[in-house]
Amino acid sequence: MSTAPISKKIKKAKGPASGSPAAGQVQSLSRGLTLLEYISESTGGVSLTDLALQAGLPNSTTHRLLMTLEQHGFVRQTGDLGLWVIASNAFIIGSSFLESRNLLALVHPILRRLMEESGETVNLAILDHSEYDAVIVDQVQCNALMRMSAPIGGKLPMHASGAGKAFLATLPEDRLFPLLSRKGLHAYTPLTLTNPSALRENLQQAKKQGFSYDDEEHALGLRCIGACIYDEHKEPFAAISISGPLSRITDDRITELGAMVIKAAKEISREYGAIR
């Protein structure tokens, strides 16, 4: 069986789709993109009625928008209940960012090698600068029966995940705490760092040692170690992490696994900058 998947979301403060669009926005396009976001955040699909309720739109308007998105291949209906899910064209277009930089082609072999060396699941997450979310874009699962499993496209809480804290550790305090104040420090487990001072100390340690450490802060029984990947401008844009159960990622393996993650992150940063 798999360890609890990373499927919990940091809720974004979306405005209602029924409201007036901001200056320069096309209302129907804004509404359609909002529906697309809601569908992407659902697990196993979402009904038209639930989508309309979330978006604050009439069922008829929601249906017209969904039909348009379906015609363009962004969403589709599935199952006997006719739930709406993300379709292939959304993935193809979303993947163009990665393909344009050959990121997955470059990184995947390194992820696989790190999985083999560590014996644990390895993840690649990119930083969404607009919302400051860590989004999983690639994963190589280990062969153990008990292992971490997360959906591609899933979002990781910045303050309670190895990849997320790797990103946060790179931020100056004048950017860090306004960001955390806006997003909030949700307690996923009793071990989640919800006190700003405790989190600050934890991030300072991560910056000093070169890797971050999620100690059952997102899911009980799960540990995660992450390090940032930098572009040619020395800006963090992705993170690599090793995740696994507490029974295998024991205290005496933290430094060893941290060194592996740092080495892999440096290799990716160096090669990524070279292919620009």
Side-chain angles (χ1 to χ4, degrees), residues 10-11 26 52 68 88 97 103 122 169 195 206 214 221 241 253 270 273:
I10 300 174
K11 292 297 183 183
V26 177
T68 301
S88 59
F97 165 75
L103 180 61
V122 179
N195 181 284
D214 160 19
S241 65
R253 291 198 71 201
R270 184 173 59 252

Side-chain angles (χ1 to χ4, degrees), residues 77-94:
Q77 281 188 289
T78 183
D80 295 336
L81 298 177
L83 300 180
W84 290 92
V85 298
I86 293 296
S88 59
N89 208 34
F91 176 79
I92 292 169
I93 291 177

Side-chain angles (χ1 to χ4, degrees), residues 6-10 12 123-138 148 150-168 179 183 188 212 218 224 227-228 237-241:
I6 307 298
S7 59
K8 298 175 182 176
K9 306 285 193 303
I10 300 174
K12 295 185 283 186
N123 316 285
L124 175 69
I126 60 171
L127 179 59
D128 176 356
H129 285 276
S130 64
E131 295 290 342
Y132 263 99
D133 288 323
V135 183
I136 297 175
V137 295
D138 198 10
M148 180 268 196
I152 300 301
K155 295 177 182 177
L156 300 167
M158 296 292 284
H159 68 292
S161 67
K165 290 204 288 185
F167 286 131
L168 292 180
L179 169 68
K183 299 187 75 68
Y188 293 91
S212 58
H218 190 208
C224 185
C228 258
F237 75 98
I240 189 170
S241 65

Side-chain angles (χ1 to χ4, degrees), residues 143-202:
N143 297 318
L145 183 61
M146 181 179 292
R147 60 183 182 269
M148 180 268 196
S149 176
I152 300 301
K155 295 177 182 177
L156 300 167
M158 296 292 284
H159 68 292
S161 67
K165 290 204 288 185
F167 286 131
L168 292 180
T170 68
L171 295 178
E173 287 199 5
D174 62 346
R175 291 177 60 194
L176 172 64
F177 287 97
L179 169 68
L180 294 179
S181 176
R182 189 181 80 221
K183 299 187 75 68
L185 299 177
H186 177 75
Y188 293 91
T189 77
L191 297 176
T192 304
L193 299 176
T194 57
N195 181 284
S197 297
L199 180 60
R200 177 194 287 112
E201 183 178 344
N202 183 272

Side-chain angles (χ1 to χ4, degrees), residues 257-275:
L257 294 175
M260 290 183 186
V261 168
I262 291 172
K263 180 181 177 182
K266 287 183 176 179
E267 180 181 357
I268 295 168
S269 297
R270 184 173 59 252
E271 295 191 17
Y272 183 77
I275 66 173

Side-chain angles (χ1 to χ4, degrees), residues 15-27:
S18 58
S20 298
Q25 290 188 7
V26 177
Q27 188 178 61

